[in-house]
Amino acid sequence: MKIGIDKIGFYTPHMYVETEDLAIARNIEPGKFTIGIGQEKIAVPPITQDAVSLAANAALEILTDEDRDAIDYVIFATESGIDHSKAASIYIHQLLGLNRNTRSIEVKQACYSATAGIQMAKGHIALNPESKALVLGADISRYGLQTSGEVTQGAGAVAIVMSADPKIMTVESPSAYQTEDVMDFWRPLYSDTAFVQGKYSVDKYIGFFQDLFTEYTKKTGIGLSDLEAILFHLPYTKMGLKALKSILEDVNEADKTRLLANFDISKKYNATVGNIYTGSLYLSLLSLLERNTTIEPGERVGLFSYGSGAVGEFFTGILQPNYRKSLFKEQHEQMLTNRTVLTVAEYEAQFNDTLPVGVENIDLPTEKDPATICFAGIKDHMRQYVRKNK
Ligand code: COA
């Protein structure tokens, strides 16, 4: 049975800061951010967007009534969740009006967890071919003002409908995966910003990619010449480029040229949104699918998923007939184009506009946020969401 990605939605907040402006404000040569790091813009979330509302907005645009009836599994991947106990997927279940007979959970393993969700959904559909699963990857990436990770912040969500006979891409088996206990990036419970050993994380990420690609080739016999593109988890776009180049040294020119050209297409959305953690690999997939003009149905792409800590996986997918017709390209391009640019001072004000810890009651200004679904405040310690009529 063919199982895979039937639809992909995406949402990012309506504000951003240019990395060039950020570099000037931080007294850094702009080329370091735009070329050395490979980021052009960083999405900036208002206080009225959190992981739940970002994911709900991403899913809203893609779901039909038929999907709502068939979805019986919601898997929410995040590392910027809102509750230590209740799964974020339950809020989504209510906001999207999903079927009561649904299993709803939250999964965590840094930026890897949406891939865990995809594989869990695949297993579920193999056992229940009529079912669909909704996999969400949503995060706000915060390192802190004037930190070396600041330029790699971002915010956004992807929403993926998994089904049998998918319209966009099948997810092939087997895949290659591995775990190693490393402290390259983590966020203790008391901190709302991440801790990172940046250069160490880059080394670990590249090492995982090389190991997993070798392991995958050993398992399947599939090599570089069988892949139209390799997609990466992209904390910042240069990181994926470094990993890709690390395996291209002794490769023939045709493979090298194709893989580098398609990498360039696959990084575009990530370069203008920033790091969205769990959704980052799938945002890169979306960028490739929506922007390429040469990859034909039936062709294969590789995907490298990495979550610090660390778990990684390499797997492949086959693009399906008419996959372009199932994309929401115009909506995504419009969303990215219609955003408002902030000055660095305005971005800093947004960054510092956080909820007081432990606040019992608060109303938030959802009228300032053009998103359909917003985080509206807290009532008796319970988070409130609003779905505006549009
Ligand atoms: N023009 C072009 N490139 C420039 C430049 C300029 N004017 N100035 C510097 N650069 C290049 C450097 O040569 C370097 O390139 P290289 O990595 O290919 O060698 C790059 O810009 C970054 O410079 P560096 O001095 O290494 O930056 P840094 O000390 O500020 O650290 C990170 C960069 C990426 C380590 C840091 O931003 C970070 O920790 N980010 C978070 C990492 C992360 O997300 N990890 C998550 C794990 S999945």
Side-chain angles (χ1 to χ4, degrees):
M1 188 197 320
K2 285 184 182 176
I3 302 172
I5 296 177
D6 194 52
K7 290 183 176 176
I8 315 184
F10 162 54
Y11 182 76
T12 190
H14 69 287
M15 301 181 292
Y16 71 92
V17 64
E18 296 280 358
T19 60
E20 206 170 320
D21 294 343
L22 184 64
I24 292 164
R26 300 290 180 254
N27 225 359
I28 288 171
E29 165 61 36
K32 174 172 172 184
F33 286 179
T34 54
I35 301 162
I37 298 287
Q39 291 300 126
E40 296 164 26
K41 297 175 169 51
I42 303 171
V44 178
I47 195 168
T48 45
Q49 289 298 315
D50 63 10
V52 167
S53 61
L54 291 170
N57 285 308
L60 201 57
E61 66 172 5
I62 61 171
L63 297 188
T64 59
D65 287 345
E66 196 196 319
D67 294 325
R68 285 186 170 81
D69 283 344
I71 290 170
D72 64 358
Y73 202 178
V74 185
I75 304 173
F76 197 122
T78 185
E79 54 192 296
S80 45
I82 54 152
D83 196 290
H84 291 316
S85 174
K86 179 168 172 169
S89 50
I90 300 177
Y91 295 91
I92 295 284
H93 182 270
Q94 192 274 334
L95 284 164
L96 299 177
L98 298 180
N99 178 359
R100 186 174 176 82
N101 300 114
T102 298
R103 185 185 284 150
S104 301
I105 60 162
E106 183 171 317
V107 288
K108 179 175 72 180
Q109 183 5 65
C111 303
Y112 167 74
S113 56
T115 300
I118 297 266
Q119 298 295 358
M120 288 158 79
K122 192 177 165 199
H124 175 72
I125 293 160
L127 293 172
N128 306 277
E130 302 301 316
S131 292
K132 291 185 181 179
L134 178 62
V135 179
L136 304 149
D139 278 299
I140 295 173
S141 160
R142 285 170 68 87
Y143 288 94
L145 301 178
Q146 304 190 26
T147 60
S148 68
E150 182 179 28
V151 64
T152 70
Q153 296 177 146
V158 291
I160 295 174
V161 174
M162 293 282 293
S163 74
D165 299 320
K167 294 191 201 67
I168 296 179
M169 187 183 89
T170 58
V171 172
E172 293 190 286
S173 292
S175 57
Y177 34 84
Q178 71 182 32
T179 296
E180 185 188 336
D181 184 2
V182 287
M183 291 303 280
D184 56 339
F185 169 108
W186 67 104
R187 186 164 69 84
L189 294 180
Y190 53 78
S191 178
D192 82 337
T193 51
F195 289 53
V196 64
Q197 305 201 56
K199 304 226 156 90
Y200 181 52
S201 78
V202 177
D203 289 347
K204 280 290 159 194
Y205 168 98
I206 295 174
F208 262 61
F209 172 62
Q210 292 172 342
D211 290 353
L212 286 167
F213 188 68
T214 306
E215 174 66 14
Y216 180 79
T217 300
K218 204 161 84 186
K219 267 185 170 174
T220 61
I222 292 172
L224 286 183
S225 53
D226 303 304
L227 301 173
E228 279 305 301
I230 302 183
L231 301 156
F232 290 82
H233 165 52
L234 292 176
Y236 58 97
T237 67
K238 179 75 166 292
M239 200 159 161
L241 184 62
K242 280 174 187 251
L244 177 60
K245 282 185 170 168
S246 80
I247 62 161
L248 293 183
E249 270 166 30
D250 301 319
V251 167
N252 71 60
E253 273 312 305
D255 286 350
K256 199 184 277 187
T257 307
R258 182 185 68 259
L259 292 170
L260 285 171
N262 283 333
F263 176 81
D264 214 47
I265 299 171
S266 72
K267 74 176 188 189
K268 188 66 191 164
Y269 285 175
N270 305 69
T272 56
V273 169
N275 191 359
I276 63 165
Y277 289 163
T278 49
S280 164
L281 168 62
Y282 300 95
L283 180 58
S284 183
L285 170 66
L286 198 60
S287 187
L288 181 78
L289 296 177
E290 294 189 347
R291 299 181 67 86
N292 91 83
T293 52
T294 58
I295 306 182
E296 297 303 324
E299 292 184 322
R300 178 180 278 122
V301 297
L303 296 94
F304 170 58
S305 182
Y306 178 82
S308 292
V311 177
E313 182 156 346
F314 188 88
F315 64 104
T316 52
I318 305 276
L319 300 187
Q320 294 303 288
N322 299 317
Y323 73 89
R324 287 194 174 87
K325 287 197 177 142
S326 298
L327 299 168
F328 293 80
K329 181 177 152 84
E330 281 77 31
Q331 288 93 317
H332 296 152
E333 282 175 355
Q334 243 174 42
M335 178 170 59
L336 291 169
T337 312
N338 292 344
R339 294 182 294 170
T340 307
V341 62
L342 301 182
T343 63
V344 173
E346 287 166 338
Y347 142 70
E348 289 178 344
Q350 290 292 338
F351 186 92
N352 288 325
D353 185 23
T354 53
L355 283 187
V357 175
V359 66
E360 188 178 339
N361 289 293
I362 193 166
D363 285 327
L364 296 175
T366 55
E367 70 286 352
K368 291 190 193 157
D369 185 341
T372 306
I373 295 177
C374 298
F375 168 41
I378 294 184
K379 203 170 167 191
D380 299 331
H381 291 289
M382 292 178 268
R383 285 175 99 88
Q384 308 295 310
Y385 292 90
V386 61
R387 179 172 165 174
K388 301 173 191 164
N389 288 326
K390 287 210 166 175

